[in-house]
Amino acid sequence: MDSSNCIQGLFATDALLPTGWASDVSISFDSEGIISDVREGDRDSGYRVASGPVIPGMINLHSHAFQRSITGKTQSFSGTEDDFWSWREAMYRSTSEIGPKELERMAYRLYADMVRNGYTTVCEFHYLHHAGDGIPYSNRAEMSLAIVRAAEQAGIRLTLLPVLYCHGGFRNEPLSSHQRRFGLDVNEYLRLLEQLRKEVPETVLGYAPHSLRAVDNDSLAMMLEHRRKSAHDRAPVHIHIAEQTAEVTQCLKSHRARPVEYLYGIAEPDATWCLIHATQTTPTEKERMARSNACVGLCPTTEADLGDGFFDLPDFLSSGGTFGIGSDSNVCVSPVEELRLLEYTQRLSLRRRNTSGDTADSGVGTVRYLQALEGGRRASGQSVGRIEAGYRADFAVLEPDSFTRSDESPDVILNAHVFSGSSLSVRETVIGGFPSTLQGSAH
Ligand SMILES: [Zn+2]
C-alpha cells in the first residue's frame, strides 16, 4: 500500500461505537491505519465525509477457503441418508484438483467477496497442507503462503490458523486416503508454524487443533506447551468442538465424556479460545463455556446446509456467553445472512420475537452485530471490531437508502441491513484506513 494515499480520518454523521450509536463522529487514524482518536460532536475535522452510517467491519472467525469450490455441487438429492458425513466425503474428493495456484485464486475471489459484503478480517482455519496424493510440497508452507497472498491481494485482514490434523477418529485411527493431505504430526506442525513466523512475520498466526477426533491428548498438550513457552502465549486457539451428534456419541464411547466436558478436563480454554460449532452442547456445557470466557464460533448458514442442528443462543447469552460468526464452508459470505439465520432459528424454535429478553434501546440487528464483533475480536487475536482508539480503522459504510428513507435513524438502517441486506447495502468497505477498490467491481 502507498502510505501517501492514506487518508487521515473519516467523518461519520452516524457511527456505531462500542457503547452504541453516536453522532458527528470524527475518526482519526495514523499512517499504520490504527485509530488514534474518536471524537463525538466534532464537525470541524475536515475529514472525508462517509456516505452513510459507519459500523466496524465484521470479523469472519471461521473460513475454509477451499470449500468454496463445491458450492452448488453438493445440493443434489444424493440419497435419503445424505448428511454431514456424506457431504464430507464429497468435500474430500473435491480437494484433489486444488494446488497452491488454484487455492490462491479461489481464496482471492472468496476474500474479495467477503470484503464486498462488509467482512474486514478473516480467520482462515487452514488444513489443506499437502499435494493431492498426500505428499508434502518441498516447501511445507506452500499452501499456507497461498492463503497469505490471497488475503493481501483482496486487502482483507488475516488471522491464519494452520491446523493440526493427526488422526481419522477418536481412537487415533489412521487418516483416510483423502485425509492424508491434511496430516501433520505435532512436530511437523510446530515446524510449519515456526517457518511461517519467520517468512511472514506480519501475519497473525493462531493454533488450531482440528478437533478432538483428529488430535490426541499428547499432541494437544505439546501444542499448548509450545504456545505457553513462546512469545505468542496469547495467540488464539481454535478447535471444532461439537458439530454433530455422531461426534458426541463417539466422544462418549472413547472418553466417557461429551466433547466440551472432555476438552475442559484436558485443557483450560479462556478468552483466547474459540470453540467452533458448539452446536451439540448441554446447558451445563454452555454455562461452562460462558464462564471460561471462551468464544463460541457459530456458522449458521453452513450448520443449516449440513443439517447440523442449531445453537441455543438465549441460554448461552443469559450465562454471559460470547459468540462470533463464521462463513465456514463459504456457501454464503454475507455476515448479515449469518446473523439473520441465527436470529430466525431462535425465533422459530421459541415461537416468539424477543428471544433473549433484551430491553436495549437499539434494535435486535444492532445488538447481535455488536455481540458478533466482540466474539470475532477475541477469536482473531487482533485489535479489530471497535471504533475506538488503538483499534484498526476497519469499517463498513452502509447504503443509507437501500430499503428505508435516507433520513431514518442509523439504527433502522443497520437493522434493515441485518434483516434484509446484502453486499448491495454495503456502500464502502474501509480496511486499515483505505477504502477498498473492490466495491462495485465485478463479483
Ligand atoms: Zn470448519
Side-chain angles (χ1 to χ4, degrees):
M1 288 182 189
D2 177 0
S3 60
S4 62
N5 290 334
C6 188
I7 50 177
Q8 295 298 304
L10 191 65
F11 173 79
T13 307
D14 300 291
L16 184 61
L17 307 186
T19 46
W21 288 105
S23 305
D24 297 332
V25 182
S26 285
I27 309 165
S28 308
F29 25 91
D30 64 19
S31 59
E32 302 291 309
I34 296 170
I35 298 172
S36 52
D37 195 19
V38 179
R39 283 194 195 172
E40 295 179 46
D42 174 13
R43 289 165 169 263
D44 302 323
S45 62
Y47 292 150
R48 183 171 72 97
V49 179
S51 52
V54 177
I55 60 177
M58 184 51 77
I59 301 100
N60 182 348
L61 57 62
H62 192 64
S63 161
H64 307 291
F66 75 91
Q67 293 181 9
R68 180 72 157 177
S69 66
I70 56 167
T71 299
K73 292 183 186 165
T74 53
Q75 301 295 352
S76 55
F77 298 102
S78 57
T80 51
E81 298 300 312
D82 188 15
D83 61 6
F84 169 88
W85 306 100
S86 55
W87 172 89
R88 192 177 74 154
E89 286 306 314
M91 181 270 283
Y92 284 170
R93 285 195 298 276
S94 76
T95 65
S96 60
E97 302 298 314
I98 305 173
K101 270 192 195 143
E102 291 75 23
L103 182 63
E104 183 176 337
R105 196 175 317 128
M106 192 182 291
Y108 162 71
R109 292 178 61 145
L110 170 71
Y111 294 161
D113 235 0
M114 287 182 191
V115 170
R116 291 186 195 100
N117 276 278
Y119 280 123
T120 49
T121 300
V122 60
C123 303
E124 180 67 28
F125 195 97
H126 170 65
Y127 58 88
L128 203 55
H129 298 304
H130 310 311
D133 50 9
I135 308 290
Y137 292 103
S138 55
N139 179 358
R140 305 297 171 107
E142 188 85 54
M143 295 294 260
S144 300
L145 294 171
I147 293 289
V148 173
R149 286 193 299 272
E152 271 171 15
Q153 287 158 33
I156 198 165
R157 201 174 297 290
L158 173 69
T159 294
L160 179 62
L161 302 158
V163 171
L164 174 63
Y165 201 120
C166 311
H167 309 294
F170 278 98
R171 299 199 171 168
N172 300 348
E173 290 91 334
L175 298 175
S176 70
S177 58
H178 288 307
Q179 290 170 329
R180 281 207 292 272
R181 291 200 76 176
F182 319 147
L184 292 172
D185 68 30
V186 68
N187 290 312
E188 292 167 331
Y189 175 80
L190 296 175
R191 278 200 294 277
L192 170 64
L193 208 61
E194 291 298 342
Q195 182 185 343
L196 289 167
R197 280 186 182 150
K198 280 198 193 102
E199 288 189 24
V200 282
E202 304 284 302
T203 301
V204 174
L205 296 167
Y207 292 74
H210 178 273
S211 56
L212 293 172
R213 61 188 144 86
V215 177
D216 57 274
N217 290 5
D218 290 348
S219 300
L220 179 64
M222 276 178 73
M223 177 198 257
L224 296 176
E225 183 63 6
H226 182 272
R227 174 177 178 257
R228 194 180 66 76
K229 287 184 173 165
S230 76
H232 307 272
D233 60 341
R234 302 292 292 165
V237 182
H238 289 221
I239 184 170
H240 290 123
I241 189 65
E243 182 171 7
Q244 284 285 315
T245 50
E247 207 172 5
V248 177
T249 309
Q250 288 160 13
C251 191
L252 277 163
K253 260 192 195 164
S254 301
H255 300 305
R256 296 206 181 91
R258 299 172 59 85
V260 168
E261 211 182 344
Y262 186 67
L263 177 68
Y264 279 77
I266 58 171
E268 293 173 15
D270 60 14
T272 60
W273 282 62
C274 182
L275 310 182
I276 305 294
H277 306 302
T279 321
Q280 312 300 336
T281 45
T282 62
T284 311
E285 287 175 304
K286 284 192 182 67
E287 205 184 322
R288 191 152 194 193
M289 293 188 292
R291 254 192 291 126
S292 72
N293 291 318
C295 168
V296 162
L298 302 175
C299 309
T301 60
T302 297
E303 289 156 8
D305 181 26
L306 302 184
D308 290 347
F310 59 87
F311 186 77
D312 182 355
L313 188 64
D315 195 19
F316 183 60
L317 291 177
S318 67
S319 302
T322 301
F323 78 89
I325 52 161
S327 61
D328 194 5
S329 68
N330 293 308
V331 67
C332 161
V333 292
S334 162
V336 290
E337 284 192 44
E338 301 297 344
L339 290 173
R340 191 180 308 156
L341 187 57
L342 176 63
E343 177 63 22
Y344 280 164
T345 49
Q346 311 303 319
R347 293 185 190 184
L348 286 163
S349 161
L350 293 169
R351 287 183 276 177
R352 57 170 203 261
R353 298 192 75 237
N354 184 350
T355 56
S356 48
D358 282 328
T359 54
D361 292 336
S362 303
V364 178
T366 301
V367 170
R368 295 283 175 265
Y369 196 90
L370 282 168
Q371 288 168 335
L373 285 172
E374 175 59 15
R377 181 186 72 78
R378 291 190 199 178
S380 71
Q382 305 204 46
S383 298
V384 292
R386 289 186 182 184
I387 301 178
E388 186 177 303
Y391 283 77
R392 301 283 174 178
D394 298 350
F395 318 119
V397 181
L398 299 181
E399 182 68 54
D401 51 6
S402 273
F403 310 99
T404 54
R405 291 195 340 243
S406 57
D407 60 352
E408 288 285 6
S409 74
D411 193 56
V412 168
I413 294 169
L414 176 54
N415 275 276
H417 178 49
V418 169
F419 287 99
S420 308
S422 65
S423 61
L424 298 177
S425 46
V426 178
R427 182 171 269 187
E428 181 178 69
T429 307
V430 175
I431 303 179
F434 287 88
S436 168
T437 54
L438 294 166
Q439 233 77 22
S441 64
H443 280 227

